[in-house]
Amino acid sequence: MPSVLQIVRSVVSPLTRTRVFRWAAPRLLPPIERVVAALSGGRVQLSALLVPSLILHTTGARSGAPRETALMYTPDGAGRAIVAGTSFARDRHPAWTYNLLADPEAAITVRGRRMRVRASLIGDDERDAAWARIEAQWPGYRGYERESGRVVRLFRLQPLAESRS
C-alpha cells in the first residue's frame, strides 16, 4: 500500500514538469527556502516536506565567496548523497556545479547538522544507475535533463571524517 508521501509525490511530481513551475520555482523557491531556514535555524526546509533535502555549502568558483544552495538529494545506500544539477530544465548548468568542479571540498547541512563532504562527478558508466535511484525517489525527474537539452551533471557527495584537534 502506498504511503501518504508517495501519493503526494505522485500528484506533485507531474506539476513540477510544467512550464509554469519551471518559470516560477527558480524565482520563488530559493527566497522562501531562505526564510524558512532562517526561522527554523536551518532545521527545516520547505522542499524536505516532499523529498530528502540539504543545503550545499560551496566556495564560488570565480568569486571565492561562500555560497549556499538548497537541493534535493538521493541517498545512494552507502552513506553518500547524489545531487543532480537539473536547474529546473534550464539550458545552463547551475552555478553550484561549477563551484564543485573548481573545488570539490564542500559541506552540507541536513536537518540542522552540518558535515564536510567531497564531491565527485558521476561518470558515464554510473549515470543510468544514479538516475534510476533518483527517479525511484522522484518519478520523472530525469525529464529535466531531456527538456534542458544538456547532460545534467550528477555528483556524489562523500562525507569526510571530522578531524579531532
Side-chain angles (χ1 to χ4, degrees):
M1 178 168 213
S3 70
V4 171
L5 186 56
Q6 288 170 324
I7 293 168
V8 170
R9 284 180 185 168
S10 69
V11 170
V12 173
S13 178
L15 299 176
T16 65
R17 293 188 296 275
T18 65
R19 285 187 181 147
V20 171
F21 181 85
R22 287 193 321 257
W23 177 86
R27 291 166 175 81
L28 300 176
L29 291 181
I32 292 170
E33 286 281 12
R34 283 191 291 274
V35 168
V36 171
L39 293 173
S40 70
R43 287 183 295 280
V44 176
Q45 284 180 258
L46 182 62
S47 54
L49 299 174
L50 290 174
V51 292
S53 298
L54 57 78
I55 303 294
L56 177 66
H57 308 273
T58 60
T59 301
R62 284 192 266 175
S63 69
R67 302 288 184 217
E68 291 185 352
T69 307
L71 298 172
M72 175 184 102
Y73 76 92
T74 301
D76 80 347
R80 301 172 298 198
I82 299 169
V83 291
T86 57
S87 192
F88 300 100
R90 292 182 184 156
D91 60 354
R92 292 191 176 147
H93 295 290
W96 64 264
T97 68
Y98 293 99
N99 297 347
L100 288 179
L101 291 172
D103 183 1
E105 301 289 320
I108 59 173
T109 301
V110 180
R111 292 185 294 278
R113 182 172 170 247
R114 187 174 173 132
M115 67 186 88
R116 293 178 41 240
V117 296
R118 178 171 290 117
S120 57
L121 192 61
I122 294 176
D124 292 342
D125 57 331
E126 298 180 85
R127 286 181 60 76
D128 286 336
W131 274 118
R133 277 193 175 278
I134 293 167
E135 286 201 304
Q137 175 179 289
W138 193 258
Y141 198 66
R142 194 170 191 176
Y144 280 146
E145 182 173 61
R146 288 185 291 276
E147 294 168 26
S148 72
R150 62 183 168 80
V151 176
V152 165
R153 293 174 178 156
L154 302 177
F155 289 89
R156 183 170 286 113
L157 304 177
Q158 172 70 50
L160 299 175
E162 295 297 321
S163 60
R164 307 257 188 241
S165 305

